[in-house]
Amino acid sequence: MKKICFLPVVLLLTGLLCGCTGQQQNDPSPQENDHAMEEGTETPKYDHLTVYSPLPESETLLYCSAFRKDTGITVDCIHLPAGEMTARLEQERDNPQASVLLGGSADNYIQLREAGLLEAYQSPELTDVPEAYQDEQGGWNPIYIGTLCFDWFARTGTPMPTCWDDLLSPALAGQIVMATPKSSGTSYTTLATLVQMRGEDKAWEYLQKLDQNVGLYTRSGVEPAERVKNGEYAVGIVFSHDAFRAALDGYPIEVRSPADGTGYEIGACALVRGAPEQERENARTFIDWLTSSRGEECYIEAKSCRLPANSTARAADGLPPLDEVKLITYDLEWAGENRTRLISYFDTHIYSARTLA
């Protein structure tokens, strides 16, 4: 099994951490720049593309709008939490309805790759992406990096957690919000991180205790950040890009990476095997665009606070250096291969009495 060690790559990335929508009738220009279609550029013979994505609609609207401006191709994006995106692709195995998967942690893509649901494709733009981020089997393409963290609402009067065990404090009873790993890639990364840090037995013991403090499990990994920034809950377990976006927007929250170590995601995109024939060329064009510095610099305007995987892409200002985060040696391949088993155990032994928000 390949282990992706994040820390050596950090030394290569001195930048900072720094995110397509439904059918778009009026194409809002994300920025006036030199990337618009040049006069005389030939419109593709088929000018649509269907995408599944767990990313926030506010982000994908900007990305897909910029892509349309550059290429003339309109992207119809269906938004699903990462786990539901994976489940839908499995259900549509014999008749795929989308051509590209956009965003979400690579462990979802590993599961889909192993199930034969992805079409191998590697963008030529990956020459500018560190090898440690890449899929050596060629099933998916890396587009951003995100680390797990806690976001804390400063006005609740509760203690600010600085490590994983701090989340077990009685003072946080009912005050924690996180997603369920059954539908959320963020939460599955949390689950896989704890298992890799503590071993399975101790991780399950920890999660049983943590459950006593969880006031709400959400469907999507983005929603905990929304709930915390509005003061509904004191602490959310989220990816750093979601927490920092709220902080930079002026909400009274503080962001902390666990001092005892944290996991991370490699956000990915990929082609769907057996996708509609008329969209194939557009799908490859879209992945090439997503993995380019042009595509990944759209994170800045989207205020997504994602760290571009492409080393030539600029990241947003105002965020802490990545080398300040204590990262574990997260085994991405193991996480992908054990995803179904771990989620099933969590759903049966921890979440069974809960109701999704």
Side-chain angles (χ1 to χ4, degrees):
M1 291 188 296
K2 176 185 177 184
K3 287 191 175 182
I4 301 179
C5 183
F6 192 91
L7 292 177
V9 178
V10 170
L11 299 177
L12 300 176
L13 299 174
T14 57
L16 303 177
L17 275 169
C18 82
C20 282
T21 165
Q23 299 176 10
Q24 302 146 27
Q25 302 300 324
N26 297 318
D27 181 20
S29 297
Q31 56 186 3
E32 296 297 331
N33 54 32
D34 296 329
H35 295 286
M37 292 184 66
E38 296 179 1
E39 186 176 352
T41 297
E42 183 179 354
T43 301
K45 293 181 180 179
Y46 186 81
D47 61 357
H48 279 71
L49 177 66
T50 307
V51 170
Y52 290 161
S53 178
L55 300 183
E57 188 170 357
S58 59
E59 290 186 37
T60 57
L61 172 61
L62 188 146
Y63 306 149
C64 295
S65 179
F67 177 70
R68 180 181 176 182
K69 186 174 181 179
D70 288 356
T71 65
I73 299 169
T74 296
V75 179
D76 299 325
C77 187
I78 298 172
H79 293 84
L80 301 162
E84 293 182 19
M85 180 180 74
T86 299
R88 180 173 293 197
L89 207 64
E90 291 171 340
Q91 293 168 0
E92 296 175 351
R93 174 186 291 271
D94 297 328
N95 186 28
Q97 300 300 299
S99 296
V100 174
L101 306 181
L102 166 59
S105 180
D107 52 57
N108 295 281
Y109 291 75
I110 291 170
Q111 180 182 11
L112 292 170
R113 183 196 68 198
E114 295 303 301
L117 295 171
L118 300 183
E119 179 180 331
Y121 178 71
Q122 296 287 272
S123 167
E125 299 289 343
L126 297 188
T127 56
D128 293 318
V129 176
E131 184 178 351
Y133 296 166
Q134 299 189 36
D135 177 14
E136 61 183 12
Q137 297 188 38
W140 48 268
N141 295 254
I143 53 176
Y144 62 83
I145 312 299
T147 63
L148 286 172
C149 70
F150 311 139
D151 63 337
W152 172 69
F153 191 78
R155 297 175 182 171
T156 59
T158 58
M160 180 176 64
T162 61
C163 66
W164 290 103
D165 282 341
D166 284 353
L167 297 180
L168 305 182
S169 169
L172 291 175
Q175 288 294 311
I176 295 175
V177 57
M178 62 181 289
T180 170
K182 187 174 183 178
S183 59
S184 164
T186 304
S187 194
Y188 177 67
T189 302
T190 302
L191 172 55
T193 293
L194 290 166
V195 171
Q196 291 184 41
M197 288 178 68
R198 298 171 180 244
E200 289 204 31
D201 290 343
K202 291 184 177 180
W204 294 126
E205 290 177 10
Y206 173 86
L207 287 163
Q208 289 280 4
K209 295 176 182 177
L210 178 64
D211 180 64
Q212 303 305 307
N213 281 357
V214 174
L216 177 67
Y217 288 100
T218 64
R219 287 176 59 246
S220 78
V222 175
E223 189 176 350
E226 295 296 311
R227 299 275 188 164
V228 171
K229 78 179 187 182
N230 292 321
E232 297 177 55
Y233 294 88
V235 178
I237 303 174
V238 297
F239 278 128
S240 54
H241 37 257
D242 295 322
F244 280 119
R245 176 169 183 167
L248 292 178
D249 281 344
Y251 287 91
I253 66 170
E254 294 191 30
V255 183
R256 287 290 181 273
S257 297
D260 45 344
T262 194
Y264 60 92
E265 71 166 341
I266 298 175
C269 62
L271 293 179
V272 176
R273 182 182 295 277
E277 181 66 33
Q278 69 270 25
E279 293 189 359
R280 296 260 177 108
E281 182 178 349
N282 293 347
R284 290 182 173 86
T285 299
F286 190 47
I287 287 182
D288 293 347
W289 187 90
L290 289 169
T291 53
S292 70
S293 60
R294 157 62 172 154
E296 294 182 21
E297 285 182 3
C298 286
Y299 302 159
I300 299 173
E301 187 167 356
K303 296 196 298 183
S304 71
C305 298
R306 300 181 191 276
L307 173 68
N310 188 315
S311 61
T312 68
R314 293 177 298 115
D317 294 329
L319 300 166
L322 189 56
D323 57 11
E324 291 182 1
V325 180
K326 183 177 180 180
L327 295 162
I328 69 168
T329 304
Y330 187 77
D331 191 335
L332 183 64
E333 288 289 331
W334 180 91
E337 292 164 1
N338 287 275
R339 186 174 180 276
T340 299
R341 179 179 66 84
L342 293 178
I343 289 175
S344 177
Y345 191 96
F346 183 95
D347 198 46
T348 301
H349 294 86
I350 295 176
Y351 182 71
S352 59
R354 297 279 187 158
T355 301
L356 283 178

